Amino acid sequence: MTNVSFAAVAVSFTHTIKALEPFFNAAASQFILGQHIPIPLWLSLAPVVLGVSMASLTELSFNWTGFLSAMTSNIAFTYRNIYSKKAMTGMDSTNVYAYISIISLLFCIPPAILIEGPKLLQYGFADAISKVGLNKFVSDLFWVGMFYHLYNQIANNTLERVAPLTHAVGNVLKRVFVIGFSIIVFGNKISTQTGIGTAIAIVGVAIYSFIKAGIEESKKKPASAGKLPAKE
């Protein structure tokens, strides 16, 4: 769904909608996993989403296909994180990701054949090869596949070590780097709004991390206080 959105609207617009991921994850963590999300933690998500939205809105475009695809991706991302986290109680993140990849491939092949069919070879391969040549097409496909695999593998390894909400906040911060990297690679000029939005997002993540650390520390204190020193 994310890739469908990328094809339908500007990349910046997709990242704007995807910036809502922490809210979806917070809601799902509280109402599905039963994890209590304190009010301060909810409030700390606001500057993260606001900052990324400001940084992304410089090239805003809109159509319903792009919007609904990005929103569907948010929902899918949330449930993927939650059920992956549950699966990691019985196996490690590498094996979970391996199973996810195999199931995803089997899930995507039928609709690809039914929806695109013979056009897949023409528009997906022949037209691309005619524009850039076979060697560059194969090379680009290889590097995209490798980096996308590494991204997902590292994301799953991270999810094994943190809560789904923390993972989602980190994923939002990633969008700031995507915007910055696109500025460097494609030569896009950064606006004042983009710079301010990036700064707000980084500060928001710092606030979230500080509040989260404080909550974790407060949980540890009662447990340590309950341990009495052993009698000699």
Side-chain angles (χ1 to χ4, degrees):
M1 287 296 100
T2 300
N3 283 288
V4 170
S5 183
F6 283 150
V9 296
V11 172
S12 58
F13 180 75
T14 300
H15 281 292
T16 301
I17 303 302
K18 295 282 286 177
L20 296 173
E21 282 175 359
F23 284 109
F24 283 87
N25 272 271
S29 295
Q30 179 150 334
F31 299 116
I32 296 177
L33 291 181
Q35 298 176 351
H36 174 65
I37 308 297
I39 297 297
L41 212 56
W42 277 100
L43 295 176
S44 71
L45 298 176
V48 179
V49 176
L50 174 64
V52 174
S53 298
M54 285 181 62
S56 302
L57 283 171
T58 52
E59 297 179 5
L60 186 60
S61 63
F62 180 87
N63 67 53
W64 283 107
T65 300
F67 175 78
L68 293 176
S69 297
M71 288 297 290
T72 303
S73 176
N74 280 338
I75 297 171
F77 177 85
T78 297
Y79 281 97
R80 187 204 71 174
N81 277 1
I82 288 174
Y83 286 107
S84 292
K85 189 71 175 179
K86 285 185 175 182
M88 287 174 192
T89 58
M91 65 178 80
D92 62 22
S93 58
T94 302
N95 282 311
V96 169
Y97 179 61
Y99 281 112
I100 289 175
S101 299
I102 295 169
I103 294 170
S104 297
L105 175 63
L106 297 176
F107 182 81
C108 289
I109 287 175
I113 295 174
L114 292 173
I115 296 172
E116 297 176 326
K119 294 181 180 179
L120 178 64
L121 294 177
Q122 179 184 350
Y123 298 114
F125 294 96
D127 288 357
I129 292 172
S130 66
K131 290 180 181 178
V132 300
L134 178 61
N135 289 337
K136 181 169 176 52
F137 174 74
V138 173
S139 174
D140 288 349
L141 205 61
F142 169 79
W143 288 112
V144 168
M146 187 187 75
F147 284 121
Y148 195 70
H149 170 81
L150 288 175
Y151 154 67
N152 280 286
Q153 182 66 71
I154 292 171
N156 274 270
N157 290 348
T158 303
L159 181 61
E160 184 178 18
R161 293 163 175 80
V162 300
L165 179 56
T166 302
H167 184 268
V169 172
N171 205 48
V172 166
L173 185 60
K174 173 199 72 178
R175 307 194 187 286
V176 176
F177 290 99
V178 169
I179 295 166
F181 194 73
S182 67
I183 291 169
I184 296 172
V185 173
F186 299 111
N188 297 335
K189 293 183 179 180
I190 184 170
S191 66
T192 303
Q193 177 179 321
T194 300
I196 294 173
T198 301
I200 291 174
I202 293 174
V203 170
V205 172
I207 293 172
Y208 169 85
S209 301
F210 179 78
I211 295 174
K212 180 73 173 176
I215 293 172
E216 293 298 325
E217 187 66 25
S218 63
K219 287 180 180 178
K220 291 178 182 178
K221 285 181 178 178
S224 59
K227 296 180 179 180
L228 298 175
K231 295 181 179 179
E232 294 182 358

